[in-house]
Amino acid sequence: MHRLNAWLRRHPMVVDAAWAAVVLFLSLLPNDNVSDGWRFDAQILIGVLLPALMVFRRRFPDVTVAAATGLGVGQVAADVTPAVSALAYLVFAYTGAAFGQKWTSRLALVAGLAAGPLVFWQLHPMKTVSNGAGDYHTRPYSFGEAALITLLMSTPFILCWAWGRLTRVRRAYLTELEDRAARLERERDAQSKVAVAAERARIARELHDVVAHNVSVMIVQADGAAYVLDNSPQQAKEALGTIASTGRQALVEMRRLLGVLRTADTAEEYVPQPGVEELPELLEQVRTAGLQVDYAASGHPRELPRGVELTVYRIVQEALTNVRKHGGPDVHARVAVDFGERELAVLVEDDGRGSTDEHLATGGTDGLGHGLIGMRERVGMVSGSLDVGPRPGGGFRIRAVLPLKAAH
């Protein structure tokens, strides 16, 4: 039954043809109320034309409704008595409202309102009354009686027209729901792609920070161990120990990040994350690698959002990595964190040889600038601002301002 229903919906002309065949059969039945002559032939012709129009009513609603209205007016003008085929006029009242254009719907409504008065005028009905002595005679209906009869005769047409309007509204509503569902599905796919791209960018930033920092520390320690291996085996041993601990730390962080890629729910994979409290450990590791760093914190330290905590840590980590790579020998760095009422300021500066325009624009010959790009992305994610450039008097300077909620 479901398949039959679906097939009939895909082939509406089959349904219309079946109903047209029923109307045609009833129209061709013998009718004793119509005498032979041209009116009888006209009634047969109308009984054939109306079912034929019914077959194509949904494919050509405007043409068929206009043609049916013309037939109806002609039938009234020629004083051809309505037959069973007049049921088709109800179908066209519905068709004009459900499938036709605006003018077709209005035409069907006007024709439906006029159907009652026209048929009443065509039939010229008379009312049979008694004079009280057993005699009966006929007289015309009063105005009130005629108005009531014409209203009742027009009611089926108006009801069919209203049914057609409801069908049009329901079809438009279903179409809108389908369009909305398709639009939501496209938006969902687009959001999924954006989320995937954002997740990949976040993981790329994390991997870059972990690899760039820890590997640079390991390279510095390895070079130092090779340099003092013959003259100071103890220092070489300490350097190798630093390399081992740094490698283990990098391995742990990389395993955590790679674990994110293997799980569907990544919300908890980033906890715990390094934050402001871990900065002294980071600076100690940098000092061990041979970089002189001073650290100062001002304001009223307090608990920060995890996104801000991670942003501060990664900015300092990346900035110090760049100092080791580009600052030159005997460079000295300073890190300052200021807890304000509504913002957190992070300053990392050094007195090294600074940076060229090439490094700022493209990362120079040894990279593509991913570190500075990652800084800007992290700061942008927390609606902060980043100032990067040469330091007055020599060296390089990075200052980030991250908005905070007011402290209570």
Side-chain angles (χ1 to χ4, degrees):
M1 183 60 69
H2 178 71
R3 291 182 179 179
L4 177 61
N5 233 356
W7 187 85
L8 292 177
R9 287 183 179 180
R10 293 194 301 269
H11 302 82
M13 286 188 64
V14 176
V15 180
D16 294 336
W19 285 112
V22 174
V23 174
L24 177 63
F25 174 75
L26 295 176
S27 301
L28 297 180
L29 291 177
N31 189 352
D32 297 334
N33 295 327
V34 181
S35 58
D36 293 339
W38 69 270
R39 284 189 176 85
F40 176 79
D41 296 335
Q43 192 179 72
I44 295 298
L45 179 62
I46 293 173
V48 173
L49 290 178
L50 285 177
L53 292 174
M54 286 179 61
V55 176
F56 303 98
R57 68 182 183 90
R58 277 192 267 196
R59 177 169 292 184
F60 308 105
D62 302 323
V63 176
T64 54
V65 171
T69 303
L71 280 177
V73 173
Q75 183 176 353
V76 173
D79 196 22
V80 177
T81 305
V84 181
S85 59
L87 293 174
Y89 293 122
L90 298 175
V91 176
F92 289 108
Y94 169 86
T95 301
F99 306 104
Q101 299 183 27
K102 185 177 293 185
W103 68 267
T104 307
S105 177
R106 293 175 178 175
L107 175 63
L109 177 61
V110 171
L113 290 172
L118 289 176
V119 174
F120 183 82
W121 171 78
Q122 179 191 20
L123 296 178
H124 301 292
M126 302 293 286
K127 182 178 181 180
T128 302
V129 295
S130 174
N131 57 7
D135 297 330
Y136 294 90
H137 65 280
T138 58
R139 67 171 179 82
Y141 286 96
S142 65
F143 177 79
E145 293 171 336
L148 179 61
I149 292 175
T150 55
L151 178 62
L152 293 176
M153 296 177 69
S154 296
T155 298
F157 294 93
I158 304 306
L159 291 177
C160 289
W161 183 88
W163 185 18
R165 288 296 299 176
L166 289 176
T167 301
R168 177 189 289 269
V169 171
R170 181 175 178 272
R171 188 171 62 249
Y173 177 70
L174 292 177
T175 301
E176 182 181 357
L177 288 181
E178 292 176 356
D179 292 342
R180 183 181 301 178
R183 186 170 61 254
L184 289 176
E185 185 175 356
R186 291 193 298 269
E187 291 178 356
R188 183 190 62 187
D189 294 340
Q191 291 175 355
S192 299
K193 292 179 180 179
V194 171
V196 170
E199 186 70 11
R200 292 179 61 184
R202 179 165 63 168
I203 294 173
R205 286 194 301 269
E206 293 288 327
L207 284 175
H208 173 269
D209 292 340
V210 171
V211 172
H213 172 72
N214 290 289
V215 172
S216 63
V217 171
M218 295 168 66
I219 291 173
V220 171
Q221 294 293 331
D223 290 340
Y227 181 76
V228 300
L229 180 60
D230 296 331
N231 299 326
S232 181
Q234 182 61 31
Q235 292 184 10
K237 183 178 180 181
E238 293 176 357
L240 292 175
T242 302
I243 293 174
S245 62
T246 304
R248 293 190 188 95
Q249 180 182 352
L251 185 60
V252 169
E253 295 196 36
M254 291 183 65
R255 283 176 176 172
R256 173 177 58 80
L257 291 172
L258 293 176
V260 172
L261 302 177
R262 300 189 181 97
T263 58
D265 185 9
T266 64
E268 301 298 329
E269 294 293 334
Y270 289 95
V271 180
Q273 289 280 29
V276 178
E277 294 181 355
E278 285 76 19
L279 283 180
E281 299 179 6
L282 173 65
L283 299 180
E284 187 61 32
Q285 185 184 49
V286 171
R287 294 188 186 102
T288 304
L291 177 63
Q292 300 180 31
V293 183
D294 293 334
Y295 175 65
S298 58
H300 301 284
R302 59 186 182 273
E303 185 177 357
L304 303 175
R306 295 306 303 173
V308 175
E309 292 266 3
L310 181 61
T311 300
V312 172
Y313 185 90
R314 293 306 188 195
I315 287 176
V316 174
Q317 184 183 53
E318 177 61 26
L320 295 178
T321 301
N322 289 337
V323 171
R324 286 197 305 271
K325 291 170 61 178
H326 309 296
D330 300 326
V331 62
H332 181 273
R334 186 173 74 92
V335 178
V337 179
D338 179 28
F339 290 85
E341 288 295 324
R342 297 185 176 275
E343 62 185 21
L344 174 69
V346 181
L347 175 66
V348 182
E349 59 182 1
D350 65 83
D351 57 2
R353 59 192 176 192
S355 179
T356 63
D357 293 336
E358 182 186 6
H359 280 104
L360 290 176
T362 63
T365 58
D366 59 347
L368 298 176
H370 295 299
L372 294 179
I373 293 175
M375 285 187 193
R376 293 190 177 95
E377 290 177 349
R378 290 184 185 279
V379 172
M381 290 174 62
V382 294
S383 303
S385 61
L386 182 68
D387 181 20
V388 178
R391 176 174 170 266
F396 200 73
R397 180 174 178 269
I398 295 176
R399 186 174 186 272
V401 179
L402 311 177
L404 302 175
K405 294 182 179 179
H408 298 285

